[in-house]
Amino acid sequence: MASILPADPTLDEIRAALAPLIAQNAAFDGFGDAALAAAAERLGIDPDVARLAFPGGGRDMVDAWFADIDASMAAKCPAGKLAEMKIRVRIVTLVETRLELIAPYRESLRRALALLALPTNAPHAARLGWRSVDMMWRLAGDTATDYNHYSKRAILGSVYGATIAVFLNDESEDFADTRAFLSRRIDGVMRFEAWKHRRAARKTDRPSLARFIGRLRYPGR
């Protein structure tokens, strides 16, 4: 498998190549030296060099794995494919694609989330979660730059986190229970977004008391 790397790979290239292999071993060994050594051996990489690619240890290994999932999701959901869908279907497709990519490694995901749940890793966990939902919204075509940029990502983050909690314990065929849960949550989000748009439209048309008082004080303006 060493051929997947160039002759003189950078640490970034080594990290990207090792990340999915580490995740395969993490179900048994966790995101630590044992999983890293096994992955390095498969690629023919010196273990010491492999450790240099992950200076933050297990936390960096999880980071690299999640980045690999993000990249795989983007590859499976090209812009042309998503453009043909309504926004709700785009988001559902992106989340379900992530779940399909992670499905073979649910135990590794449990290990990753347990590691990120440590108090010292809380800021890192928040950054990784935000990075993933931000990519999903960008792939879905979102271009908002106002407060909606943040509210959309915060809401999707809560939906995705809740869906993962169901997914980790879902024994239904083809994760039917998880898919149904996700569909219900997304429906709730879409109803909320529709309500926000209606409310914003009403506020735009509503008479402004401040404007009225200003005209009394400064007639003709």
Side-chain angles (χ1 to χ4, degrees):
M1 293 185 67
S3 60
I4 69 173
L5 284 169
D8 187 21
T10 65
L11 288 180
D12 285 343
E13 291 169 333
I14 290 173
R15 180 165 50 250
L18 287 174
L21 301 182
I22 293 171
Q24 292 176 17
N25 293 292
F28 308 100
D29 302 318
F31 287 86
D33 284 341
L36 176 60
E41 183 178 2
R42 287 183 63 184
L43 288 184
I45 296 173
D46 185 287
D48 291 333
V49 175
R51 278 190 285 273
L52 288 176
F54 301 95
R59 188 180 68 183
D60 283 0
M61 296 178 204
V62 173
D63 185 334
W65 181 38
F66 285 5
D68 180 71
I69 294 168
D70 288 341
S72 297
M73 175 187 65
K76 285 180 170 290
C77 300
K81 174 184 175 181
L82 293 174
E84 299 173 354
M85 307 173 182
K86 292 184 177 180
I87 186 65
R88 179 197 181 281
V89 180
R90 294 179 201 176
I91 295 298
V92 170
T93 298
L94 288 162
V95 174
E96 288 187 345
T97 298
R98 290 185 69 84
L99 298 179
E100 289 167 4
L101 291 166
I102 301 172
Y105 312 107
R106 281 202 294 176
E107 187 55 41
S108 297
L109 180 60
R110 286 191 182 93
R111 298 275 192 141
L113 295 179
L115 179 62
L116 292 177
L118 296 174
T120 53
N121 289 335
H124 196 71
R127 184 177 68 81
L128 296 186
W130 188 270
R131 183 178 71 189
S132 294
V133 296
D134 179 58
M135 173 171 279
M136 282 190 269
W137 270 117
R138 290 181 185 278
L139 289 172
D142 179 61
T143 57
T145 57
D146 57 5
Y147 77 95
N148 282 306
H149 173 92
Y150 301 97
S151 64
K152 287 179 178 179
R153 284 149 181 78
I155 292 171
L156 180 56
S158 68
V159 169
Y160 181 61
T163 302
I164 286 293
V166 174
F167 169 73
L168 286 174
N169 298 291
D170 186 1
E171 300 303 329
S172 62
E173 185 176 355
D174 195 28
F175 302 105
D177 290 347
T178 300
R179 295 176 189 277
F181 176 84
L182 172 63
S183 180
R184 291 193 299 272
R185 292 299 297 266
I186 293 294
D187 283 344
V189 171
M190 298 310 294
R191 285 194 296 271
F192 176 70
E193 288 295 320
W195 172 82
K196 280 201 311 182
H197 286 306
R198 290 195 300 270
R199 182 172 180 270
R202 287 197 299 269
K203 287 182 67 176
T204 300
D205 297 336
R206 187 180 303 166
S208 169
L209 179 60
R211 190 182 303 115
F212 175 71
I213 294 175
R215 287 177 178 174
L216 290 177
R217 185 173 182 181
Y218 303 106
R221 291 195 179 187

